[in-house]
Amino acid sequence: MPKKKTGQRKKAEKQKLRQKEIRTAKEKIPLADHPCNISMECEKCHRKQKSRAFCYFCQNVQRLPVCAQCGKMKCMIKTGDCVIKHPGIYTTGMNMVGAICDFCEAWVCHGRKCLQTHACTCPLQEAICIECERGVWDHGGRIFKCSFCTNFLCEDDQFEHQASCQVLESENYKCQSCNKLGQYSCLRCKTCYCEDHVRRKGFKYEKNKAIPCPKCGFETSQTKDLSMSTRSHKFGRQGQSSAYDDYDDEAGAGDYDDQDYNDYDYDDDDDDDDDDDESTEESSEEDSDDNNVSKDDK
């Protein structure tokens, strides 16, 4: 019979599993929770933006910068791995700063570990928005990831993109290689695959894990579990709009006709009034001339 595990052995195994979970959890941190992607409000212009070395709008330097790796704004370590030693003194502000990240444009503290690891593990290295194709240096907002295709999104396009992300590029749910119903959908390629064509020959698939897309390698999901919709087109006059349609929607077609008719009537009335005035003036002049002639005859 195997030997019974002692309490110390059980404790060591639990600690080993716990440390493994901690190491793997660092890779699954949401992008919005990283210190280099936190929200910051400028002290001078009071505008909210992503944490960065200088304000995106007024180029002002913050009084208490935040480290992009560890997230601290005050170094309280008396004997640590600080590049600039400060025994018995707490450092804040520019005394704590060691570098600026080239990718996320945020401060990095003077800790040796942060200076050596942040540039290699910065989550915003290729943070280019999939919609507007702008990088971190081109806009002042934070960076997010789409919940479906996991592409980078800026703060301006995140909601609009996610609302229209689950739309296939085809007009039906059929597989791209045959006419069977696509049971698996790739949210990055926007295509469907059947059970036969989603698997590649000579490729080893891991058990109890999602099947990767044969085109891009992204994890596929079952179409029945998603709110996928197909691409639609509008043909004929219903799909076209003009300036008259916009005016009819705002004012109404009946109001438009009545307005023109009333304007036309008002113009005619004004013209009639002018003609009446001229006729009365002419008649008065003729009467005065007749009176003058009668006096001369006498």
Side-chain angles (χ1 to χ4, degrees), residues 272-291:
D272 295 338
D273 295 338
D274 294 339
D275 294 339
D276 295 338
D277 295 338
E278 292 177 357
S279 60
T280 53
E281 290 178 359
E282 291 177 357
S283 61
S284 61
E285 290 178 358
E286 291 177 357
D287 294 339
S288 61
D289 293 339
D290 294 338
N291 294 329

Side-chain angles (χ1 to χ4, degrees), residues 56-280:
Y56 180 81
F57 302 99
C58 64
Q59 303 298 321
N60 184 41
V61 182
Q62 303 303 304
R63 184 172 57 88
L64 294 175
V66 181
C67 178
Q69 179 66 19
C70 58
K72 65 181 180 182
M73 61 178 62
K74 184 177 183 180
C75 186
M76 302 178 64
I77 302 175
K78 297 180 180 180
T79 58
D81 62 343
C82 299
V83 176
I84 302 174
K85 300 298 181 180
H86 50 91
I89 300 173
Y90 297 156
T91 58
T92 58
M94 297 302 295
N95 294 327
M96 191 196 68
V97 169
I100 299 177
C101 181
D102 294 332
F103 304 109
C104 62
E105 199 186 0
W107 293 114
V108 181
C109 69
H110 59 205
R112 191 180 301 275
K113 184 179 179 181
C114 294
L115 291 173
Q116 291 178 350
T117 59
H118 176 73
C120 302
T121 61
C122 183
L124 305 181
Q125 291 184 12
E126 299 176 355
I128 299 176
C129 181
I130 192 65
E131 291 289 337
C132 59
E133 297 182 355
R134 294 184 301 174
V136 179
W137 292 68
D138 299 329
H139 63 91
R142 300 168 66 192
I143 303 296
F144 299 92
K145 274 190 176 181
C146 180
S147 302
F148 307 108
C149 62
T150 66
N151 284 318
F152 288 105
L153 294 171
C154 65
E155 199 166 1
D156 300 331
D157 300 326
Q158 58 165 334
F159 296 111
E160 184 178 356
H161 171 82
Q162 291 189 119
S164 61
C165 187
Q166 292 179 281
V167 179
L168 296 174
E169 292 184 355
S170 60
E171 298 178 0
N172 49 39
Y173 296 96
K174 293 183 179 179
C175 177
Q176 296 295 311
S177 302
C178 60
N179 290 328
K180 294 182 180 179
L181 182 64
Q183 301 177 4
Y184 298 91
S185 299
C186 177
L187 292 169
R188 184 168 291 183
C189 298
K190 309 300 181 186
T191 53
C192 290
Y193 300 96
C194 63
E195 184 69 30
D196 298 332
H197 293 96
V198 74
R199 301 179 184 274
R200 292 177 292 176
K201 293 182 179 180
F203 187 84
K204 186 177 180 180
Y205 294 93
E206 297 182 7
K207 195 174 182 179
N208 298 329
K209 285 193 176 182
I211 302 174
C213 174
K215 184 178 180 181
C216 65
F218 187 72
E219 293 183 357
T220 59
S221 303
Q222 292 192 10
T223 309
K224 63 181 181 180
D225 297 337
L226 304 172
S227 300
M228 298 293 290
S229 59
T230 57
R231 184 178 56 184
S232 60
H233 301 279
K234 293 183 179 180
F235 301 97
R237 296 177 59 186
Q238 296 180 358
Q240 300 176 358
S241 60
S242 60
Y244 297 102
D245 297 338
D246 297 338
Y247 187 85
D248 292 343
D249 293 338
E250 295 177 359
D255 299 339
Y256 178 78
D257 298 337
D258 296 340
Q259 185 178 3
D260 290 348
Y261 184 76
N262 294 332
D263 293 342
Y264 182 76
D265 292 342
Y266 292 151
D267 294 340
D268 293 342
D269 295 340
D270 294 339
D271 294 338
D272 295 338
D273 295 338
D274 294 339
D275 294 339
D276 295 338
D277 295 338
E278 292 177 357
S279 60
T280 53

Side-chain angles (χ1 to χ4, degrees), residues 1-5:
M1 292 181 66
K3 293 182 179 181
K4 188 177 180 181
K5 293 182 180 179

